[in-house]
Structure formats: structure tokens, C-alpha cells
Amino acid sequence: MRTPFIAGNWKMNLDGAECAAFCAGLRDVAAEAEGVRLGVFPPFVYLGAVVEALAGTDVVVGAQTARPEASGAFTGEVAMRQVKDVGATHVILGHSERRHVFGETDADVRARLDVALELGLDVILCVGETLEERHTGRTEQVVTRQFEQALSNIDDAAVAERITVAYEPVWAIGTGETATPEQAQDVHAQLRALADRHFGGDVSSRLVIQYGGSVKPDNVATLLACPDVDGALVGGASLKLESFETLARLGVGGAA
Ligand code: 13P
């Protein structure tokens, strides 16, 4: 049984007052939300404050990225250890904006994932193809490579319990062009088959696979109705409490 997981990736949005107001409202939403897991991923400067503002709730709070080194001369960067230190429990790794805007490679993602697991941070691992890769028939090849480079030889229990995979087609992020439920299901099924091949049926049946890319209140239900879509990683539509609340409500019952 997989619990649907609706997570808001706030990217470089919201200020301190907006984060505080969102969290105050989210406490009420979370108290009512049964059968769905909720999470928010604020900008680094608000991470500690959001952890505190949501203390005592079941809402997951995490970072949008982090570096694997424990400390050092990395001006402007934040270490995984520091994310853990402020009380966050999760980190997003391999987001397409980190891969394509900041040049993070599969090897970088793997190095970060190893450290996250070692430190006790759970991970949302993002995979997804560009439009050009889709148009040239390479979607399966790309997501397979990203999945395998990040997860091969990772402990079975960690994959089942501490890793969420988010399929985020790059062409659907922030564009308003959502993957159709068929397109999403197709790739999600490939990812679950991959998990089955590497880790066996027990792990693959427990692995939560989110879809991300222009998820909105009006399309989330059809996406979540797909058998292998277990939640959503949401950018734009996660920034307003009202919309996030609707996604949370529609997320209930969205996983197999
Ligand atoms: P949008 O929901 O704004 O398309 O962003 C998706 C995303 O990148 C979530 O990580």
C-alpha cells in the first residue's frame, strides 16, 4: 500500500511573511488531511523557520538541493549536514533545474544521494526527459539512465522507505503543458518495472512515484487516477495555500 505524497517545491518563491502565513494555514490543512502525505520544500533561508512553524504536524519539510561535502569553500552553497541540522528531514535531488541550469550530473546526484541517506535525510529523486529527448524517442533511455545512476546498489529498504522518485518531464515544468495521464502512466510503469528489476517486487510495489510538471487542481485527479502515479511534486500551484489544500484533498486515495 502506497500513501499518496503531495509535495510543494517552492523554488525561489515566497518571502518570510508569506512562508509564515502559508505554514499557519497548512497546520489546519494537515490536521484534516488523512490518507495523504504532505510536504513543502522552501528556499534555504526560510527552511529552519518553516521546520519550526510546522513542528508537531506530519508535514514533511525539506531542501530543494544540498551539497554532499560536510563543510568547505563553496561560497553560496549549503551542505546536506546543515539541512539536517535545521531539522529538515528530506532533500530533493536531481531536479531538472539543478541538472539543466546548474549543470548537475548523474554522478553529482549519486554523490548527494549517498550522503543524504548516510545522514538520515530522505530523498525525492527527480528524473525526466527534455522535449528533444522525447521527440527523438529517448524518454525511456534517459529516465532509465538517471534512475540507475542514482539508485543502483542502494539498499533495498532505503529505496522502499526513504526514496521517492518524481517523474518530471522537463517540457512540462512551468510551461502549463502537463503530460497526459497516458504519457505519465507510461513512464511511471517503466520506472516501477525498473525498480522491480533492480530491487524486486516488494520494493517496487512500495516505491512512491510522483508526477511533476504543471500539476494543478484541475488536472491532479486524472493524473493520480493512473495506477502507477502516487502523488505529485508541484511548483507553481503549491505557492497558494488554497490551491495546495485542493491538491491535498484530491490527493487522498491517489496511490495504489
Ligand atoms: P510546475 O508545477 O510549476 O510546473 O513545477 C514543477 C516542478 O518543477 C516541481 O518540482
Side-chain angles (χ1 to χ4, degrees):
M1 272 291 130
R2 303 187 291 271
T3 303
F5 184 13
I6 307 288
N9 173 9
W10 290 351
K11 307 192 180 183
M12 200 173 71
N13 295 295
L14 304 183
D15 61 21
E18 288 166 336
C19 288
F22 193 109
C23 291
L26 186 54
R27 294 188 69 89
D28 297 333
V29 173
E32 304 275 299
E34 268 180 40
V36 62
R37 188 174 203 210
L38 302 178
V40 289
F41 292 77
F44 278 132
V45 282
Y46 307 123
L47 189 55
V50 168
V51 167
E52 281 177 29
L54 293 171
T57 72
D58 291 332
V59 181
V60 159
V61 182
Q64 299 168 15
T65 181
R67 283 200 71 89
E69 299 83 0
S71 60
F74 296 98
T75 301
E77 294 290 291
V78 172
M80 211 76 72
R81 191 175 61 83
Q82 295 167 317
V83 167
K84 171 92 178 164
D85 187 47
V86 297
T89 55
H90 284 60
V91 61
I92 296 174
L93 295 178
H95 191 278
S96 73
E97 287 146 22
R98 298 301 313 178
R99 292 180 193 264
H100 297 292
V101 182
F102 300 101
E104 286 177 15
T105 63
D106 289 327
D108 292 329
V109 173
R110 176 55 182 257
R112 288 160 197 245
L113 190 131
D114 283 336
V115 172
L117 292 182
E118 195 181 299
L119 292 177
L121 289 168
D122 290 357
V123 171
I124 296 182
L125 169 69
C126 300
V127 300
E129 81 289 2
T130 63
L131 191 59
E132 201 248 326
E133 287 162 344
R134 173 161 283 267
H135 282 165
T136 50
R138 285 184 290 149
T139 299
E140 182 166 7
Q141 181 195 329
V142 168
V143 300
T144 299
R145 190 200 73 226
Q146 292 170 334
F147 181 102
E148 288 184 337
Q149 301 265 324
L151 295 178
S152 26
N153 305 318
I154 297 287
D155 176 64
D156 285 4
V159 176
E161 289 155 25
R162 300 184 49 205
I163 307 274
T164 299
V165 173
Y167 169 54
E168 297 206 313
V170 180
W171 48 271
I173 295 179
T175 58
E177 190 185 345
T178 319
T180 63
E182 294 71 27
Q183 286 171 322
Q185 170 56 27
D186 203 33
V187 179
H188 281 235
Q190 285 162 12
L191 289 166
R192 199 169 308 282
L194 204 51
D196 190 57
R197 206 151 64 236
H198 282 268
F199 306 104
D202 177 53
V203 171
S204 69
S205 65
R206 289 158 71 199
L207 180 69
V208 171
I209 309 179
Q210 297 173 315
Y211 168 79
S214 297
V215 173
K216 307 259 178 323
D218 64 5
N219 61 24
V220 71
T222 46
L223 287 160
L224 288 172
C226 300
D228 289 301
V229 178
D230 308 318
L233 182 56
V234 188
S238 75
L239 298 174
K240 291 245 167 13
L241 182 67
E242 198 186 8
S243 142
F244 192 70
E245 181 176 5
T246 309
L247 294 173
R249 191 161 32 77
L250 294 172
V252 177

